[in-house]
Amino acid sequence: MAERTGRPRAATTLPRTAPRPPGEIRHWPRSFADRLTAPLPGVMAMSRLVRERALRPDAEGRRGIPHLPYAPAPLPAVPAGGTCVTWAGHAGWIVRTGGLTVLTDPVWSRRILGTPARITPVGVRWEDLPPVDAVVISHNHYDHLDAPTLRRLPRDTPLLVPAGLGRWCRRRRFTRVTELDWWEAVELGGVRFDFVPAHHWSRRTLTDTCRSLWGGWIIGAPGGRRVHFAGDTGYGHWFAEIGRRHPGIDLTLLPIGAYEPRWWLGDVHLDPEEAVLAHRDLGARAMAPMHWATFLLSAEPVLEPLARLRTAWERAGHPRELLWDLPVGASRILGPEPSPVSDRTGPASAATPPDRR
């Protein structure tokens, strides 16, 4: 099981590591299996999963699909010194900060390997994106590393990826690839990108389990704003350690979906209540949920993650305005000052369009 923690230790500012040179070629160990928080399920567990038919929500759980929050809107202007996040769906965000446009785990494809087609459209059309200055990847699972989407990018787009994933990117002729280990950083255009741990794993084929690393990112604007993108993760001790090493996180983007059954996914995917605990451990000010309402990856009812998250948030006593439960396609702006935030899209219950193909 994933390691559990109590309240985090008080944050202490630690010296930041010097940024690595962008694009350097590095040599990595053959396996990162020693970084696993818990053993991966074996054949018996996979057989049980199939036997219990727990791969997807049942018909009753899928009835909520037409009511999933989806409210695409034009990207708002970003004020000087501000940071804007836009949820494209799943773990894909458009983060505009420090003059850069950054994509996280971009998946603009309608379908990924091994899953039904997406149940909500992408929140922002590809042709409506501003020029992309960088892409950050959390790990190599197909719902986070989508080759058809990356092929849409110019090959000189900077890709920031976990250790061991650079060869995959260079084989696809990307020329500006930076691989990082946990707690390492790189700077682009004055914006700092720190690669931080996660409770997860990696595999893209039957023979490359844990051959590349997995993790999340802290994107730091020149003015001091910090956005934590968790990628894909279970709950455990790393959140408190990230908060200790990176105090003052303004916003954390945390996964809340793909968690049932717990015996299968509990070590590698947060459930909504654990996401609230992770937010607390990080010491982050605001939280925006992700990794739900896009692909059918597990057995929970499609509307359940958000309902449970809102309940857990309220029970924890957190201010409602600091839960940024955005619809797919919506944006929100973190202002240049420590206190103001701006919601540019309305509530997460915005109506869905009639045509969701």
Side-chain angles (χ1 to χ4, degrees), residues 35-203:
R35 309 285 186 96
L36 290 170
T37 303
L40 296 175
V43 174
M44 295 297 292
M46 296 179 68
S47 299
R48 176 184 172 185
L49 185 70
V50 174
R51 186 170 63 252
E52 294 182 358
R53 299 180 180 179
L55 290 169
R56 305 283 183 265
D58 59 19
E60 180 64 25
R62 296 193 300 271
R63 287 182 63 184
I65 289 176
H67 306 290
L68 288 168
Y70 179 76
L75 296 178
V78 184
T83 294
C84 180
V85 295
T86 303
W87 190 28
H90 201 54
W93 293 85
I94 304 157
V95 181
R96 291 179 292 154
T97 189
L100 300 186
T101 295
V102 181
L103 303 184
T104 71
D105 288 0
V107 179
W108 260 252
S109 298
R110 183 172 178 267
R111 186 184 296 272
I112 55 174
L113 183 67
T115 68
R118 60 194 308 145
I119 53 177
T120 52
V122 182
V124 179
R125 298 188 310 166
W126 187 263
E127 54 267 32
D128 293 336
L129 287 174
V132 176
D133 298 297
V135 173
V136 298
I137 299 295
S138 63
H139 65 299
N140 71 353
H141 287 160
Y142 281 87
D143 58 321
H144 295 259
L145 178 63
D146 184 51
T149 298
L150 293 185
R151 280 199 295 267
R152 298 185 180 198
L153 294 165
R155 293 306 184 268
D156 61 351
T157 303
L159 302 186
L160 311 183
V161 302
L165 197 52
R167 181 179 297 179
W168 185 95
C169 301
R170 295 185 186 98
R171 283 204 304 265
R172 284 150 183 84
R173 296 183 293 174
F174 284 94
T175 59
R176 301 175 66 187
V177 181
T178 302
E179 299 173 87
L180 296 181
D181 202 343
W182 289 348
W183 309 122
E184 293 183 338
V186 67
E187 287 188 358
L188 296 175
V191 176
R192 180 176 168 113
F193 299 82
D194 286 85
F195 189 53
V196 295
H199 298 272
H200 206 60
W201 64 299
S202 69
R203 185 172 69 190

Side-chain angles (χ1 to χ4, degrees), residues 318-339:
H318 299 313
R320 180 62 181 86
E321 65 272 15
L322 297 183
L323 179 60
W324 294 11
D325 45 355
L326 302 179
V328 175
S331 300
R332 203 154 187 185
I333 293 173
L334 187 70
E337 300 301 325
S339 55

